[in-house]
Amino acid sequence: MYRERPAGFAGAVLWTSATTAGAAPTRVLPDGCVDLLWSSRLGLVVAGPDRTAHLSGGGPAERWVGLRLPPGTGPAVLGVPAIELRDRRVPLAELWGGRDVARLAERAETAPADVLTQIAARRLRAAGGPDPLGARVPAALAAGTTVTATAAGVGLDPRALHRRCRHLFGYGPKTLARILRMRRALALARAGTPLAEVAARCGYADQAHLTRDVRDLAGVPPTALLPR
């Protein structure tokens, strides 16, 4: 069971999930985001930005509450570059220290959604808000703007943009663009657009190119990710 709703600040999303023991793993697709998580089994955890799909669950029964931070916001909230969290699930105590996190974890046992939202909002204010590039770069890349043109549009050379993207998103702009394109393509396909048309509208060479790219990033072809 999975549900999500707006968190009420900076485009963040609160989500909840409950799994039963031995349930089939859930395929979580990359999205350029960092999640601040509470688990009934693990406590407070950070999920870094993934380059490929992450399989979650498949073990003991567990309840999750997550705060998905918008792309580029994680470093301001967590105080570490996204590249240090890439493809990782890290106990929050490793980032902030055991004593402080223990107090937060105790509060989270009874109101995890409130604690996650309050922590993130407070730290984001203390950091002076998110880096504006965190919104501008994904918007440009998602619209199909080239990396070179995106760099020029935000006043950086391509190398500087690559460094900033690794800090904000955990990977360079080309990888981020591939991930965003895949997500747009899947959204169109789930809405009923034929895959050949999806490929053309999203800038793939053809449907075979779309299938290869989705398989590289998601681990399965697009047809496996569509409603049956």
Side-chain angles (χ1 to χ4, degrees), residues 59-208:
E62 194 165 9
R63 186 163 67 96
W64 290 90
V65 178
L67 179 67
R68 183 179 308 121
L69 300 168
T73 305
V77 171
L78 298 170
V80 297
I83 187 66
E84 294 185 12
L85 303 170
R86 188 176 69 188
D87 299 325
R88 299 177 64 201
R89 303 297 181 268
V90 182
L92 186 61
E94 288 190 15
L95 305 181
W96 294 354
R99 180 177 300 177
D100 290 341
V101 172
R103 288 195 292 266
L104 293 172
E106 185 175 352
R107 291 169 48 206
E109 289 290 331
T110 55
D114 291 344
V115 170
L116 295 178
T117 304
Q118 291 165 9
I119 295 170
R122 184 172 66 248
R123 290 182 63 93
L124 192 59
R125 286 194 301 269
D131 187 323
L133 284 184
R136 294 179 64 191
V137 170
L141 295 175
T145 307
T146 66
V147 171
T148 300
T150 297
V154 297
L156 298 172
D157 64 59
R159 287 187 179 181
L161 177 65
H162 186 82
R163 289 192 299 271
R164 295 286 292 279
C165 282
R166 281 167 60 87
H167 176 88
L168 290 170
F169 312 112
Y171 23 68
K174 289 185 178 180
T175 298
L176 179 61
R178 285 184 71 205
I179 288 169
L180 296 174
R181 181 167 67 168
M182 176 193 70
R183 297 188 69 87
R184 179 184 175 222
L186 290 174
L188 287 171
R190 287 165 176 158
T193 306
L195 288 176
E197 183 180 342
V198 169
R201 289 174 62 177
C202 293
Y204 293 95
D206 51 28
Q207 185 175 332

